[in-house]
Amino acid sequence: MGKNIFITGGTGKIGGQLVAHFVTEGWQVVTTTRKAENLEKLVERGLLNGEEVKKISLIEVDFLHKEAIQKVLTFFESKKELYPHIIVNNARSLSTLGVEENGTSSRKKLLDEYLIDVVVPYELAMGLGYAKGSKLEKIINISSIYGLVPFNPNLYTNYPHSSPIQYSLAKAATLQLSKELAIRLADKSIQVNTVSYGGVKGRVDEAFLERYAKLCPEGVMLEEEQVIGPVAFLASDASKGITGQNIIQDGGWTTW
């Protein structure tokens, strides 16, 4: 398709699926990871082969560090041919989701999660959207059902320690960020939308799956490869005229 896509957090559970999809579709993919060796895990997971991995341009960066955004902007400034047409803000850090012994969240965890989900996507949008020679057409922010509804205590055996409030607060703010940016970047013809996912299989046991099924109209969690669909649609020309919106892929979780 001859387009460049920049996917943050491209070696994680969702990010790996997105990176693999766009690489195999012939896009020029730039992604980020905290450790360069994580890229090889896409081969271990069977998502890509070694030759396909070599086609990926990698930025090794930790978005919790204050110099992270400048590192990304400097990378693209030095490789202008890779300026993205599409940004997918998918980075996350499990380190920001911890809670205290009593189930409360510290100020640091609250602020770090907000930094990852809101501040970094905003700074990337501004930095790459207003860069000289910018090619930016679309921004896709990744949120969650817990940006729409609170954690459901009936799903968790240890609710206070399994439901970090900073996650839902930041994911809710991601939705508002997309709406704000859709307006603020409209004069540059940049579309900004959100994808909110429900639970994705892979890190839970059978007991959790059974509880989740009872709370979800479709009765199942998402398969990892299902997360590709909404992002592929929003990244394509088929999504022209759609901006400031949120596509919810959750098997009906948020309908009741």
Side-chain angles (χ1 to χ4, degrees), residues 33 100 111 129 134 139 173 182 186 192 203 233 236-237 239 243 250:
T33 185
E100 304 299 308
L111 293 176
S134 174
I139 298 171
V192 188
R203 291 188 182 134
F233 165 67
S236 74
D237 289 341
S239 67
T243 195
D250 67 351

Side-chain angles (χ1 to χ4, degrees), residues 13-14 17 45 198-206 208-209 212 220-225 227:
K13 187 175 181 179
I14 291 173
Q17 292 287 339
R45 290 163 62 186
V200 182
K201 290 181 181 178
R203 291 188 182 134
V204 296
D205 58 24
E206 286 300 318
F208 187 96
L209 286 173
Y212 190 94
V220 293
M221 298 182 79
L222 298 173
E223 301 289 344
E224 283 192 26
E225 60 269 20
V227 303

Side-chain angles (χ1 to χ4, degrees), residues 85-87 136-140 190-191 234-236 239:
H85 297 92
I86 319 289
I87 298 174
L136 194 56
E137 300 173 1
K138 301 167 185 284
I139 298 171
I140 303 164
I190 298 173
Q191 296 168 239
L234 289 174
S236 74
S239 67

Side-chain angles (χ1 to χ4, degrees), residues 1-62:
M1 294 188 65
K3 289 196 174 182
N4 305 335
I5 187 164
F6 176 42
I7 303 170
T8 65
T11 59
K13 187 175 181 179
I14 291 173
Q17 292 287 339
L18 299 178
V19 165
H21 169 76
F22 286 103
V23 168
T24 56
E25 288 293 309
W27 291 56
Q28 177 59 59
V29 176
V30 180
T31 193
T32 68
T33 185
R34 286 187 293 275
K35 295 181 180 179
E37 56 265 30
N38 288 342
L39 197 59
E40 294 303 319
K41 293 180 180 179
L42 300 185
V43 177
E44 296 173 15
R45 290 163 62 186
L47 296 176
L48 292 172
N49 61 44
E51 290 304 309
E52 290 169 327
V53 166
K54 292 177 183 178
K55 297 177 182 179
I56 300 169
S57 297
L58 181 66
I59 306 172
E60 188 175 2
V61 65
D62 185 341

Side-chain angles (χ1 to χ4, degrees), residues 3-256:
K3 289 196 174 182
N4 305 335
I5 187 164
F6 176 42
I7 303 170
T8 65
T11 59
K13 187 175 181 179
I14 291 173
Q17 292 287 339
L18 299 178
V19 165
H21 169 76
F22 286 103
V23 168
T24 56
E25 288 293 309
W27 291 56
Q28 177 59 59
V29 176
V30 180
T31 193
T32 68
T33 185
R34 286 187 293 275
K35 295 181 180 179
E37 56 265 30
N38 288 342
L39 197 59
E40 294 303 319
K41 293 180 180 179
L42 300 185
V43 177
E44 296 173 15
R45 290 163 62 186
L47 296 176
L48 292 172
N49 61 44
E51 290 304 309
E52 290 169 327
V53 166
K54 292 177 183 178
K55 297 177 182 179
I56 300 169
S57 297
L58 181 66
I59 306 172
E60 188 175 2
V61 65
D62 185 341
F63 283 117
L64 291 176
H65 294 169
K66 62 181 181 180
E67 72 278 4
I69 297 300
Q70 188 55 55
K71 186 173 183 178
V72 171
L73 298 180
T74 298
F75 171 88
F76 283 112
E77 181 62 26
S78 67
K79 299 178 183 292
K80 291 185 172 63
E81 71 279 7
L82 294 179
Y83 264 133
H85 297 92
I86 319 289
I87 298 174
V88 181
N89 286 306
N90 170 72
R92 61 177 304 198
S93 174
L94 296 180
S95 70
T96 67
L97 299 181
V99 297
E100 304 299 308
E101 289 187 10
N102 63 1
T104 63
S105 298
S106 69
R107 175 177 288 193
K108 178 170 173 50
K109 298 296 186 187
L110 286 160
L111 293 176
D112 282 352
E113 183 65 17
Y114 189 82
L115 174 64
I116 290 287
D117 287 334
V118 182
V119 178
V120 166
Y122 170 76
E123 290 178 337
L124 289 175
M126 295 297 103
L128 293 171
Y130 283 89
K132 185 177 181 181
S134 174
K135 302 175 183 177
L136 194 56
E137 300 173 1
K138 301 167 185 284
I139 298 171
I140 303 164
N141 294 319
I142 303 302
S143 186
S144 162
I145 52 173
Y146 289 138
L148 294 154
V149 297
F151 284 88
N152 190 327
N154 296 301
L155 181 59
Y156 304 96
T157 55
N158 189 352
Y159 171 67
H161 291 85
S162 302
S163 56
I165 193 171
Q166 64 267 32
Y167 180 78
S168 58
L169 295 178
K171 288 303 186 184
T174 298
L175 300 177
Q176 187 65 18
L177 174 67
S178 291
K179 294 177 182 179
E180 287 281 359
L181 290 180
I183 297 169
R184 294 169 189 264
L185 296 175
D187 62 345
K188 290 186 168 291
S189 299
I190 298 173
Q191 296 168 239
V192 188
N193 292 288
T194 309
V195 175
S196 293
Y197 294 119
V200 182
K201 290 181 181 178
R203 291 188 182 134
V204 296
D205 58 24
E206 286 300 318
F208 187 96
L209 286 173
E210 290 179 11
R211 294 194 300 274
Y212 190 94
K214 293 176 182 178
L215 297 168
C216 182
E218 283 195 349
V220 293
M221 298 182 79
L222 298 173
E223 301 289 344
E224 283 192 26
E225 60 269 20
Q226 284 181 275
V227 303
I228 297 166
V231 174
F233 165 67
L234 289 174
S236 74
D237 289 341
S239 67
K240 284 184 177 179
I242 299 175
T243 195
Q245 303 303 309
N246 179 33
I247 295 180
I248 306 168
Q249 186 184 34
D250 67 351
W253 180 279
T254 54
T255 60
W256 61 10

